[in-house]
Amino acid sequence: MEVSGTHDFGTRAIHAGQRPDPSTGAIMTPIYQTSTFVQQSPGKIIGEYDYSRAANPTRAALEANIANLEGGKHGLCFASGVAATGAVIHLLSSGDKVLLGDDVYGGTNRLFNRVFAQLGIETVMVDMTDLDAVKEAIDERTKLIWLETPTNPTLKIADIKAVAEIAKANKVTLAVDNTFATPFLQNPLSLGADIVCHSTTKYIGGHSDSIGGVLVTNDPDLHQRLKFIQLSEGAVPGIMECFLLLRSTKTLHVRMQRHCENAAKIADHLNNHPKVEKVIYPGLESHPQHELAKRQMCGFGGMITIYIKGGLEESRAMLEKTHLFACAESLGGVESLIEHPAIMTHASVPAEHRAKLGITDNLVRLSVGIEGVDDLIADLDQALG
Ligand SMILES: *Cc1c(COP(=O)(O)O)cnc(C)c1O
């Protein structure tokens, strides 16, 4: 079925990029587990495909599906979220400058500041919620702004539309990492971003069983350049991974609705909990960018960050006591996870920078799953108690 942008998200999630297999009628896109494709005569290919690093029908279906969900024309899938990020950085040349959000994903920070810095690409970290700081940091060498919203773990919300206007005025490319929000809650391209990036490992995959990344754009020139980098570097996903992700996107809207409902109830509960000092959740009125979140997103997501009363000892005790919330890195799966950013996901961020961002020893991050919410609340209560 051909689906257009006017169809409901759920309809597009299930049908976009897919049609029954023309050779058998199979309703699900087959796993075309093949490296190469036979040619009729040298250089004369039978269909659209010659070699699976360049393109593969299962991957093409996934790329079209996710592009549609982001309201974009072109999608490109990668072996991981950081591989997708690296492809964007390869658009740059030595001497170019990048503005990077000051609390982006740790692996993104590492890639810019420790891998591409060696190739002469300069990175400047900026608080993207401060639009004057963004404007001030731009100069004639600035070629890319890399924005993440909501951020991790402090869930700061940046104004994508406002940053896009600044980027446009200065002829700078804006890439938005939309992993935390997902295309269901927020579509950066519609707000003026040039490129959207996801780690599909998280909510898009949703079942904690695969690693992947995707880039989406509406700009045919950007798409061709990124596709050339994808082909040349070869960090493409396996075919089985693409099949798993096609299966996942079909339920993205249903999962996200439940993630949001559960997280809202848990945030409310923890907000009134005697053992909790502070709750950060974009859906709470106390969140500094609550109004912006309401405007920019159509739900507040499944991530909650809390400051518990006490320090490292109390945090450790809580993380050892939860049963349903499993202590693990990563996020966005159907099962609930709990983690301690200072020791786990953000250990590689220098202590001084961690302190500046508010990543203290009593900070705990929850990825709220889609289990029964009363069970999740009871689990947190007994762990805090
Ligand atoms: C996990 C994550 C990444 C990196 O993705 P991988 O699939 O682990 O390579 C990038 N950005 C955000 C926001 C993430 O959470």
Side-chain angles (χ1 to χ4, degrees), residues 80-83 85 105 108 148 152 177 179-180 199-202 211-213 331:
S80 66
V82 292
T85 308
Y105 177 69
T108 304
E148 213 176 285
N152 173 20
D177 182 335
T179 301
F180 269 43
S199 165
T200 60
T201 311
K202 314 296 165 52
I211 300 278
L331 58 112

PDB file of all heavy atoms in Angstrom, residues 80-83 85 105 108 148 152 177 179-180 199-202 211-213 331, ligand 1:
ATOM      1  N   SER A  80      25.148   1.238  13.558  1.00  0.00           N
ATOM      2  CA  SER A  80      24.924   1.714  14.923  1.00  0.00           C
ATOM      3  C   SER A  80      24.585   3.197  14.867  1.00  0.00           C
ATOM      4  O   SER A  80      24.780   3.845  13.824  1.00  0.00           O
ATOM      5  CB  SER A  80      26.178   1.503  15.787  1.00  0.00           C
ATOM      6  OG  SER A  80      27.230   2.316  15.308  1.00  0.00           O
ATOM      7  N   GLY A  81      24.130   3.723  15.995  1.00  0.00           N
ATOM      8  CA  GLY A  81      23.862   5.158  16.078  1.00  0.00           C
ATOM      9  C   GLY A  81      25.129   5.966  15.870  1.00  0.00           C
ATOM     10  O   GLY A  81      25.127   6.981  15.163  1.00  0.00           O
ATOM     11  N   VAL A  82      26.240   5.519  16.463  1.00  0.00           N
ATOM     12  CA  VAL A  82      27.478   6.293  16.305  1.00  0.00           C
ATOM     13  C   VAL A  82      28.014   6.205  14.875  1.00  0.00           C
ATOM     14  O   VAL A  82      28.642   7.149  14.397  1.00  0.00           O
ATOM     15  CB  VAL A  82      28.581   5.914  17.338  1.00  0.00           C
ATOM     16  CG1 VAL A  82      28.176   6.338  18.744  1.00  0.00           C
ATOM     17  CG2 VAL A  82      28.930   4.455  17.293  1.00  0.00           C
ATOM     18  N   ALA A  83      27.747   5.101  14.171  1.00  0.00           N
ATOM     19  CA  ALA A  83      28.152   5.017  12.757  1.00  0.00           C
ATOM     20  C   ALA A  83      27.367   6.045  11.936  1.00  0.00           C
ATOM     21  O   ALA A  83      27.918   6.693  11.032  1.00  0.00           O
ATOM     22  CB  ALA A  83      27.923   3.613  12.208  1.00  0.00           C
ATOM     23  N   THR A  85      26.178   8.869  13.117  1.00  0.00           N
ATOM     24  CA  THR A  85      26.753  10.162  13.512  1.00  0.00           C
ATOM     25  C   THR A  85      28.055  10.417  12.760  1.00  0.00           C
ATOM     26  O   THR A  85      28.287  11.505  12.225  1.00  0.00           O
ATOM     27  CB  THR A  85      27.017  10.187  15.037  1.00  0.00           C
ATOM     28  OG1 THR A  85      25.824   9.813  15.710  1.00  0.00           O
ATOM     29  CG2 THR A  85      27.459  11.560  15.504  1.00  0.00           C
ATOM     30  N   TYR A 105      24.916  12.722  24.087  1.00  0.00           N
ATOM     31  CA  TYR A 105      25.284  11.336  24.349  1.00  0.00           C
ATOM     32  C   TYR A 105      26.822  11.201  24.429  1.00  0.00           C
ATOM     33  O   TYR A 105      27.540  11.762  23.592  1.00  0.00           O
ATOM     34  CB  TYR A 105      24.732  10.470  23.206  1.00  0.00           C
ATOM     35  CG  TYR A 105      25.093   9.015  23.313  1.00  0.00           C
ATOM     36  CD1 TYR A 105      24.546   8.227  24.318  1.00  0.00           C
ATOM     37  CD2 TYR A 105      25.976   8.434  22.427  1.00  0.00           C
ATOM     38  CE1 TYR A 105      24.887   6.894  24.428  1.00  0.00           C
ATOM     39  CE2 TYR A 105      26.319   7.098  22.524  1.00  0.00           C
ATOM     40  CZ  TYR A 105      25.771   6.335  23.528  1.00  0.00           C
ATOM     41  OH  TYR A 105      26.115   5.010  23.631  1.00  0.00           O
ATOM     42  N   THR A 108      28.767  10.327  21.343  1.00  0.00           N
ATOM     43  CA  THR A 108      28.791  11.418  20.362  1.00  0.00           C
ATOM     44  C   THR A 108      29.907  12.388  20.725  1.00  0.00           C
ATOM     45  O   THR A 108      30.710  12.786  19.869  1.00  0.00           O
ATOM     46  CB  THR A 108      27.425  12.148  20.357  1.00  0.00           C
ATOM     47  OG1 THR A 108      26.404  11.186  20.104  1.00  0.00           O
ATOM     48  CG2 THR A 108      27.375  13.224  19.295  1.00  0.00           C
ATOM     49  N   GLU A 148      20.843  17.729  20.517  1.00  0.00           N
ATOM     50  CA  GLU A 148      20.108  16.592  21.059  1.00  0.00           C
ATOM     51  C   GLU A 148      19.032  17.157  21.975  1.00  0.00           C
ATOM     52  O   GLU A 148      19.336  17.997  22.823  1.00  0.00           O
ATOM     53  CB  GLU A 148      21.091  15.749  21.881  1.00  0.00           C
ATOM     54  CG  GLU A 148      20.855  14.266  21.876  1.00  0.00           C
ATOM     55  CD  GLU A 148      21.962  13.562  22.647  1.00  0.00           C
ATOM     56  OE1 GLU A 148      23.085  13.450  22.124  1.00  0.00           O
ATOM     57  OE2 GLU A 148      21.695  13.140  23.786  1.00  0.00           O
ATOM     58  N   ASN A 152      20.471  13.945  27.744  1.00  0.00           N
ATOM     59  CA  ASN A 152      20.697  12.754  28.550  1.00  0.00           C
ATOM     60  C   ASN A 152      21.840  13.038  29.528  1.00  0.00           C
ATOM     61  O   ASN A 152      22.922  13.332  29.073  1.00  0.00           O
ATOM     62  CB  ASN A 152      21.094  11.640  27.566  1.00  0.00           C
ATOM     63  CG  ASN A 152      21.517  10.376  28.241  1.00  0.00           C
ATOM     64  OD1 ASN A 152      21.203  10.140  29.400  1.00  0.00           O
ATOM     65  ND2 ASN A 152      22.245   9.563  27.510  1.00  0.00           N
ATOM     66  N   ASP A 177      19.722  14.864  16.890  1.00  0.00           N
ATOM     67  CA  ASP A 177      19.641  13.482  17.375  1.00  0.00           C
ATOM     68  C   ASP A 177      18.295  13.334  18.080  1.00  0.00           C
ATOM     69  O   ASP A 177      18.085  13.904  19.154  1.00  0.00           O
ATOM     70  CB  ASP A 177      20.817  13.206  18.328  1.00  0.00           C
ATOM     71  CG  ASP A 177      20.835  11.771  18.826  1.00  0.00           C
ATOM     72  OD1 ASP A 177      19.760  11.136  18.858  1.00  0.00           O
ATOM     73  OD2 ASP A 177      21.913  11.278  19.199  1.00  0.00           O
ATOM     74  N   THR A 179      16.814  10.537  19.136  1.00  0.00           N
ATOM     75  CA  THR A 179      16.703   9.211  19.748  1.00  0.00           C
ATOM     76  C   THR A 179      15.745   9.187  20.937  1.00  0.00           C
ATOM     77  O   THR A 179      14.918   8.279  21.064  1.00  0.00           O
ATOM     78  CB  THR A 179      18.091   8.730  20.206  1.00  0.00           C
ATOM     79  OG1 THR A 179      18.962   8.686  19.071  1.00  0.00           O
ATOM     80  CG2 THR A 179      18.029   7.363  20.854  1.00  0.00           C
ATOM     81  N   PHE A 180      15.852  10.191  21.841  1.00  0.00           N
ATOM     82  CA  PHE A 180      15.041  10.164  23.059  1.00  0.00           C
ATOM     83  C   PHE A 180      13.563  10.412  22.768  1.00  0.00           C
ATOM     84  O   PHE A 180      12.694   9.862  23.422  1.00  0.00           O
ATOM     85  CB  PHE A 180      15.557  11.211  24.072  1.00  0.00           C
ATOM     86  CG  PHE A 180      16.577  10.659  25.022  1.00  0.00           C
ATOM     87  CD1 PHE A 180      17.584   9.821  24.573  1.00  0.00           C
ATOM     88  CD2 PHE A 180      16.539  10.978  26.382  1.00  0.00           C
ATOM     89  CE1 PHE A 180      18.528   9.299  25.453  1.00  0.00           C
ATOM     90  CE2 PHE A 180      17.476  10.462  27.268  1.00  0.00           C
ATOM     91  CZ  PHE A 180      18.471   9.628  26.815  1.00  0.00           C
ATOM     92  N   SER A 199      19.639   6.642  17.137  1.00  0.00           N
ATOM     93  CA  SER A 199      20.131   5.322  17.475  1.00  0.00           C
ATOM     94  C   SER A 199      18.884   4.441  17.505  1.00  0.00           C
ATOM     95  O   SER A 199      18.055   4.563  18.405  1.00  0.00           O
ATOM     96  CB  SER A 199      20.812   5.334  18.849  1.00  0.00           C
ATOM     97  OG  SER A 199      20.971   4.004  19.294  1.00  0.00           O
ATOM     98  N   THR A 200      18.738   3.560  16.509  1.00  0.00           N
ATOM     99  CA  THR A 200      17.561   2.678  16.484  1.00  0.00           C
ATOM    100  C   THR A 200      17.646   1.606  17.567  1.00  0.00           C
ATOM    101  O   THR A 200      16.694   0.869  17.815  1.00  0.00           O
ATOM    102  CB  THR A 200      17.402   1.988  15.113  1.00  0.00           C
ATOM    103  OG1 THR A 200      18.573   1.211  14.849  1.00  0.00           O
ATOM    104  CG2 THR A 200      17.208   3.003  13.996  1.00  0.00           C
ATOM    105  N   THR A 201      18.837   1.535  18.198  1.00  0.00           N
ATOM    106  CA  THR A 201      19.059   0.615  19.314  1.00  0.00           C
ATOM    107  C   THR A 201      18.050   0.858  20.438  1.00  0.00           C
ATOM    108  O   THR A 201      17.722  -0.055  21.194  1.00  0.00           O
ATOM    109  CB  THR A 201      20.474   0.852  19.869  1.00  0.00           C
ATOM    110  OG1 THR A 201      21.408   0.857  18.782  1.00  0.00           O
ATOM    111  CG2 THR A 201      20.872  -0.193  20.882  1.00  0.00           C
ATOM    112  N   LYS A 202      17.551   2.088  20.540  1.00  0.00           N
ATOM    113  CA  LYS A 202      16.734   2.493  21.675  1.00  0.00           C
ATOM    114  C   LYS A 202      15.249   2.293  21.349  1.00  0.00           C
ATOM    115  O   LYS A 202      14.833   1.184  21.113  1.00  0.00           O
ATOM    116  CB  LYS A 202      17.081   3.930  22.056  1.00  0.00           C
ATOM    117  CG  LYS A 202      18.602   4.216  22.114  1.00  0.00           C
ATOM    118  CD  LYS A 202      19.342   3.436  23.165  1.00  0.00           C
ATOM    119  CE  LYS A 202      20.856   3.451  22.979  1.00  0.00           C
ATOM    120  NZ  LYS A 202      21.483   4.750  22.820  1.00  0.00           N
ATOM    121  N   ILE A 211      21.500  -3.414  17.536  1.00  0.00           N
ATOM    122  CA  ILE A 211      22.222  -2.141  17.519  1.00  0.00           C
ATOM    123  C   ILE A 211      22.053  -1.557  16.117  1.00  0.00           C
ATOM    124  O   ILE A 211      22.209  -2.293  15.124  1.00  0.00           O
ATOM    125  CB  ILE A 211      23.733  -2.363  17.783  1.00  0.00           C
ATOM    126  CG1 ILE A 211      23.986  -3.018  19.144  1.00  0.00           C
ATOM    127  CG2 ILE A 211      24.531  -1.068  17.631  1.00  0.00           C
ATOM    128  CD1 ILE A 211      23.989  -2.096  20.330  1.00  0.00           C
ATOM    129  N   GLY A 212      21.730  -0.283  16.014  1.00  0.00           N
ATOM    130  CA  GLY A 212      21.575   0.316  14.682  1.00  0.00           C
ATOM    131  C   GLY A 212      21.410   1.815  14.742  1.00  0.00           C
ATOM    132  O   GLY A 212      21.212   2.406  15.813  1.00  0.00           O
ATOM    133  N   GLY A 213      21.508   2.440  13.570  1.00  0.00           N
ATOM    134  CA  GLY A 213      21.331   3.891  13.475  1.00  0.00           C
ATOM    135  C   GLY A 213      20.702   4.257  12.152  1.00  0.00           C
ATOM    136  O   GLY A 213      20.692   3.456  11.212  1.00  0.00           O
ATOM    137  N   LEU A 331      18.489   2.176  26.939  1.00  0.00           N
ATOM    138  CA  LEU A 331      17.160   2.704  27.234  1.00  0.00           C
ATOM    139  C   LEU A 331      16.233   2.389  26.069  1.00  0.00           C
ATOM    140  O   LEU A 331      16.671   1.923  25.017  1.00  0.00           O
ATOM    141  CB  LEU A 331      17.243   4.233  27.405  1.00  0.00           C
ATOM    142  CG  LEU A 331      17.805   4.994  26.186  1.00  0.00           C
ATOM    143  CD1 LEU A 331      16.744   5.844  25.525  1.00  0.00           C
ATOM    144  CD2 LEU A 331      18.969   5.864  26.566  1.00  0.00           C
TER     145      LEU A 331
HETATM  146  C1  LIG B   1      22.646   5.258  22.288  1.00  0.00           C
HETATM  147  C2  LIG B   1      22.667   6.600  21.703  1.00  0.00           C
HETATM  148  C3  LIG B   1      23.495   6.906  20.608  1.00  0.00           C
HETATM  149  C4  LIG B   1      24.468   5.912  20.025  1.00  0.00           C
HETATM  150  O1  LIG B   1      23.825   4.856  19.458  1.00  0.00           O
HETATM  151  P1  LIG B   1      24.439   3.347  19.323  1.00  0.00           P
HETATM  152  O2  LIG B   1      23.363   2.635  18.612  1.00  0.00           O
HETATM  153  O3  LIG B   1      24.703   2.860  20.713  1.00  0.00           O
HETATM  154  O4  LIG B   1      25.704   3.475  18.534  1.00  0.00           O
HETATM  155  C5  LIG B   1      23.422   8.181  20.086  1.00  0.00           C
HETATM  156  N1  LIG B   1      22.604   9.115  20.609  1.00  0.00           N
HETATM  157  C6  LIG B   1      21.798   8.868  21.655  1.00  0.00           C
HETATM  158  C7  LIG B   1      20.911   9.945  22.185  1.00  0.00           C
HETATM  159  C8  LIG B   1      21.808   7.602  22.241  1.00  0.00           C
HETATM  160  O5  LIG B   1      21.016   7.380  23.305  1.00  0.00           O
END
